[in-house]
Amino acid sequence: MDTRRCCDGGGATMLKKRIIFCLFLTLLTIVPGCVETSGELTADEIVNRSLARYEAIDDMTESVAITTVFSGAEYIEYKDYVLKKPNKFKLTDFESRIETISDGKNVWTLDLAENTVVEHYSSDSAKLPDCDYGQMLQEVMRSYRLELTGTETQSDRLCYVIEAVPENSSVLPERTIWIEQERLIPVRVSNDYGDYRSFIQYENISFDVGVDDNDFIISLPFVATNGSTLPEMYDLISIEEVQEKVDFPIPLPSYTSNYLFSGASLTQTNTSDSISLLYTNGSRTLIITQTPSEMKQVSNTDSTVQSYDGKEIVKHFGGNILLKFNCNQIEVAIIGQLDEREMIKIAESMRCAK
């Protein structure tokens, strides 16, 4: 072997090149993000970008299918949703023919089949319906720990799959969110409340289509078809004021699960008067309606209807529960995002005669 070759300039240069090449390969191995993971987003970045796109729009239309699974039974709702920012919206439930409309100052719930106002109150709150995916994303960013678990195809669209676990909360559900890779909009959300689950499927989402303000106006002929009249300015009034306007004693709850009374409203018809009591806890609402009449027996064929001591409990999407019962010949309905035990405690605190 000619040892001189190991010491000449050419051999030394070649050796240096080999060392540099090996170091380069080593760096690629140690720092794979420089090559293999370049351009990948974290779960927080994906949700943030989806939320940023939502916040940049002026209006939106979408269709949603909401499936609630409880005790092995499924209950499906199909709804259309129209939004004009900041807080005008219309939510139409096709099966029940119930429509909720907000013009940004007043909120109405309408029975389209009967042409009547089921409920109304004044509100300039920016609170939007639970099916508004922007509200969901904002809550996820505030209160959840996020993890990107992979990708999956939903409704023929390739989606990021994000697991969301609530931090420091026993009320919020665990969530799985499918966000379309191409447009960064949610396609599906799974909510696990423990004793039941709900799934939201978003379809036909369109942005900035030029939604008309007239879509959020309630015409008085429609409202008055069944003899209903709206209170002046649609303002909430005090308990004392609403009690003076009705000829039945208003039973009040002594326990409200930390919800505070915000006001009352009165709906007058040709046959009877109905009052609504509004309680709030942050952005959440609890509504108690009262109408003097004999309690109508509701058929228990709907798997979402449960009963407790003469009270009918109807579970709804998004954690809402409707509790209906008779209190001293007053038909009472309580609706809110509380569990059954809390709703029953509120009802029992009204001290109705057995």
Side-chain angles (χ1 to χ4, degrees):
M1 176 180 179
D2 187 355
T3 57
R4 290 175 296 179
R5 293 182 58 191
C6 296
C7 301
D8 68 2
T13 300
M14 183 64 68
L15 180 60
K16 287 181 181 179
K17 290 181 178 179
R18 288 179 179 176
I19 291 173
I20 292 172
F21 181 70
C22 290
L23 286 173
F24 179 69
L25 291 179
T26 303
L27 285 172
L28 290 182
T29 305
I30 295 174
V31 193
C34 295
V35 176
E36 295 180 1
T37 60
S38 177
E40 287 189 0
L41 300 175
T42 67
D44 288 77
E45 288 171 337
I46 293 168
V47 174
N48 261 321
R49 292 189 183 190
S50 181
L51 183 56
R53 180 168 191 192
Y54 169 87
E55 291 176 341
I57 66 173
D58 294 321
D59 60 57
M60 175 180 72
T61 62
E62 68 179 16
S63 299
V64 291
I66 304 160
T67 303
T68 302
V69 181
F70 178 69
S71 296
E74 286 191 355
Y75 177 64
I76 303 178
E77 302 169 277
Y78 298 97
K79 301 185 179 185
D80 273 356
Y81 177 58
V82 179
L83 167 69
K84 185 168 186 177
K85 289 185 174 180
N87 57 347
K88 295 181 180 180
F89 68 85
K90 179 189 292 185
L91 182 65
T92 307
D93 186 317
F94 289 104
E95 183 172 354
S96 66
R97 298 205 65 193
I98 296 295
E99 188 168 76
T100 303
I101 300 178
S102 171
D103 65 359
K105 295 181 180 179
N106 306 284
V107 180
W108 296 271
T109 301
L110 308 175
D111 186 330
L112 300 181
E114 299 293 333
N115 287 343
T116 57
V117 177
V118 177
E119 179 188 13
H120 63 270
Y121 55 91
S122 298
S123 174
D124 58 0
S125 168
K127 172 70 175 174
L128 296 173
D130 289 335
C131 67
D132 182 285
Y133 79 78
Q135 303 294 293
M136 179 271 296
L137 292 179
Q138 290 170 0
E139 184 176 63
V140 162
M141 291 304 300
R142 284 194 310 266
S143 307
Y144 282 75
R145 183 177 69 256
L146 306 179
E147 179 185 358
L148 176 62
T149 60
T151 59
E152 190 175 297
T153 299
Q154 283 284 336
S155 301
D156 297 324
R157 289 170 283 182
L158 185 61
C159 300
Y160 296 110
V161 183
I162 296 173
E163 297 294 336
V165 178
E167 296 181 319
N168 306 319
S169 174
S170 59
V171 178
L172 297 174
E174 293 186 2
R175 288 181 162 131
T176 303
I177 308 168
W178 288 262
I179 296 181
E180 181 185 338
Q181 283 192 354
E182 182 179 352
R183 296 192 297 166
L184 287 177
I185 58 176
V187 173
R188 179 179 170 88
V189 179
S190 168
N191 302 291
D192 188 348
Y193 291 91
D195 59 340
Y196 74 101
R197 302 182 69 187
S198 71
F199 305 89
I200 312 171
Q201 192 80 23
Y202 300 97
E203 300 287 349
N204 305 319
I205 297 179
S206 298
F207 298 136
D208 296 328
V209 295
V211 173
D212 195 325
D213 283 330
N214 290 328
D215 289 344
F216 311 102
I217 294 176
I218 305 299
S219 62
L220 289 178
F222 167 81
V223 173
T225 300
N226 200 39
S228 302
T229 59
L230 299 177
E232 185 177 359
M233 298 301 293
Y234 319 114
D235 286 334
L236 293 174
I237 58 179
S238 68
I239 287 288
E240 293 75 19
E241 288 176 296
V242 77
Q243 181 64 84
E244 290 178 357
K245 297 177 182 292
V246 296
D247 58 2
F248 60 89
I250 300 173
L252 300 174
S254 59
Y255 175 77
T256 59
S257 191
N258 295 320
Y259 281 69
L260 301 178
F261 178 71
S262 296
S265 66
L266 171 66
T267 301
Q268 297 177 313
T269 69
N270 293 334
T271 56
S272 65
D273 296 337
S274 175
I275 64 112
S276 296
L277 309 177
L278 176 66
Y279 296 81
T280 59
N281 184 347
S283 63
R284 295 178 180 271
T285 60
L286 177 76
I287 298 171
I288 303 176
T289 64
Q290 301 180 15
T291 304
S293 63
E294 293 186 2
M295 182 64 177
K296 299 177 182 179
Q297 296 299 318
V298 178
S299 173
N300 201 16
T301 57
D302 188 341
S303 62
T304 64
V305 177
Q306 311 295 316
S307 62
Y308 171 83
D309 193 24
K311 302 175 180 65
E312 293 160 344
I313 305 169
V314 185
K315 286 183 174 283
H316 284 276
F317 151 71
N320 282 323
I321 291 180
L322 172 65
L323 179 65
K324 300 198 296 184
F325 59 99
N326 188 271
C327 181
N328 304 331
Q329 300 304 308
I330 304 296
E331 186 175 342
V332 179
I334 306 176
I335 185 166
Q337 291 187 325
L338 291 167
D339 63 32
E340 294 178 15
R341 290 167 294 184
E342 287 296 290
M343 297 286 277
I344 291 170
K345 285 175 66 176
I346 292 171
E348 291 180 337
S349 76
M350 298 177 75
R351 301 187 182 281
C352 304
K354 295 290 185 179

